[in-house]
């Protein structure tokens, strides 16, 4: 083989993505950091082992520092598979010129909700009571911890930037609970499944912190790949998620950690409402 031909083949392999040219293919996976790094790694460990067995390739967890980093790593193909919230998926889809392909979502993500929480004795019982108070969102790029709660506040004729005393961003859902419980803020908005997990595990005292408003449902989280990923691998990943069975020990463990009943197929069109909410709130650039 000529030197020129070898060079061209090398360039073609690089363009095709890391799974195409590595001697031992590696699927690099990340997730938006909506919980602590240790919790995200714990949740991913059995899922990673399962995917390795199903796909016949190494699966590598690649943590990121914040939500924008999760978007950029997939847009620039530094990772291969990402767990996005609805808003981060929309951001990535826009940033990539429509090259994001959502594969699956939890059944729960077809009707996801956010909750507003407050000091149980602080006198906040409805959204209108937030006026003049302090509120913590999660990450600025969070669907369930910022975008949708902000959207529902605006729909209730409450502008968080002008009607509240102060708005802050905790960075993650568990940090929002901690901020309310410690009295750093009067109220917080977060992902309903993280709240329910904290209640079930008795990590929050519901006599001290209460839910005073639950939003209407919307589409949220999904597992997404870049459109440049070979279709065969894309379908294998999708099939692996869809095959998770809560009636098997392995499936039960993975689904429980992912707080999922099961995974179902999804598509980009499901997130049109999230995009509209982001545009209406002036959060999509």
């Amino acid at each position: 083989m000529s030197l020129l031909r070898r060079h061209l083949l090398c360039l073609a392999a690089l363009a095709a993505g890391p799974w195409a040219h590595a001697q031992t293919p590696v699927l690099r996976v990340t997730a938006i950091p909506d919980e602590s790094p240790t919790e995200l790694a714990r949740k991913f460990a059995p899922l990673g082992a399962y995917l390795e067995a199903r796909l016949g390739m190494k699966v590598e967890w690649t943590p990121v520092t914040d939500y924008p980093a999760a978007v950029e790593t997939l847009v620039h193909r530094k990772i291969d598979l990402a767990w996005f919230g609805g808003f981060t998926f929309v951001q990535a889809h826009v940033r990539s010129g429509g090259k994001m392909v959502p594969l699956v979502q939890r059944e729960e993500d077809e009707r996801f909700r956010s909750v507003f929480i407050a000091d149980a004795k602080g006198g906040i019982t409805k959204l209108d009571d937030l006026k003049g108070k302090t509120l913590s969102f999660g990450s600025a790029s969070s669907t369930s911890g910022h975008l949708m709660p902000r959207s529902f506040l605006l729909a209730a004729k409450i502008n968080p930037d002008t009607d509240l005393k102060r708005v802050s961003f905790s960075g993650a859902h568990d940090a929002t609970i901690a901020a309310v419980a410690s009295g750093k803020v009067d109220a917080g908005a977060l992902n309903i499944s993280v709240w329910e997990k904290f209640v079930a595990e008795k990590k929050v005292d519901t006599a001290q912190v209460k839910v005073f408003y639950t939003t209407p449902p919307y589409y949220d989280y999904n597992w997404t790949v870049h459109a440049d990923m070979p279709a065969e691998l894309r379908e294998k990943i999708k099939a692996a998620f869809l095959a998770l069975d809560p009636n098997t020990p392995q499936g039960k463990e993975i689904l429980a950690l992912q707080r999922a009943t099961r995974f179902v197929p999804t598509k980009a069109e499901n997130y049109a409402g999230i995009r509209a909410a982001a545009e209406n709130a002036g959060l999509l650039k």
Side-chain angles (χ1 to χ4, degrees), residues 42-212:
R42 183 183 77 88
K43 285 167 56 177
F44 180 73
L47 175 60
Y50 168 78
L51 290 174
E52 281 193 350
R54 290 279 305 203
L55 302 176
M57 62 193 299
K58 184 178 179 182
V59 175
E60 184 178 279
W61 173 245
T62 307
V64 291
T65 55
D66 54 29
Y67 283 53
V71 169
E72 293 303 313
T73 52
L74 188 57
V75 168
H76 295 292
R77 300 192 304 169
K78 293 179 180 178
I79 56 98
D80 311 309
L81 175 66
W83 174 244
F84 281 149
F87 185 28
T88 37
F89 166 75
V90 168
Q91 289 176 313
H93 201 59
V94 171
R95 287 276 294 112
S96 66
K99 289 212 162 192
M100 294 293 104
V101 180
L103 299 181
V104 295
Q105 61 187 150
R106 299 170 302 188
E107 189 171 49
E108 289 78 358
D109 292 311
E110 295 181 314
R111 52 184 187 278
F112 208 77
R113 294 173 294 163
S114 298
V115 292
F116 283 80
I117 61 173
D119 183 325
K121 300 176 182 177
I124 298 176
T125 60
K126 57 186 184 298
L127 291 180
D128 203 57
D129 292 335
L130 290 172
K131 291 179 178 179
K133 300 293 197 299
T134 57
L135 172 74
S136 177
F137 291 118
S139 164
S141 295
S142 172
T143 309
S144 53
H146 179 218
L147 170 61
M148 297 313 289
R150 177 180 284 271
S151 178
F152 290 118
L153 282 173
L154 292 172
K157 308 300 182 186
I158 301 168
N159 186 329
D161 298 322
T162 57
D163 294 332
L164 274 62
K165 181 179 179 180
R166 186 182 76 252
V167 167
S168 58
F169 294 90
S170 70
H173 302 295
D174 47 6
T176 297
I177 296 174
V180 175
S182 66
K184 288 182 179 179
V185 292
D186 299 316
L190 69 145
N191 171 328
I192 192 172
S193 77
V194 173
W195 170 256
E196 290 176 342
K197 183 188 81 164
F198 267 59
V199 171
E201 295 177 357
K202 302 188 184 305
K203 291 181 178 179
V204 60
D205 182 356
T206 53
Q208 178 190 2
V209 181
K210 67 174 183 178
V211 170
F212 68 91

Side-chain angles (χ1 to χ4, degrees), residues 244-249 251-252 255 260-262:
L244 283 166
D245 184 351
N247 295 312
T248 67
K252 181 179 180 180
L255 290 169
T261 303
R262 64 187 179 112

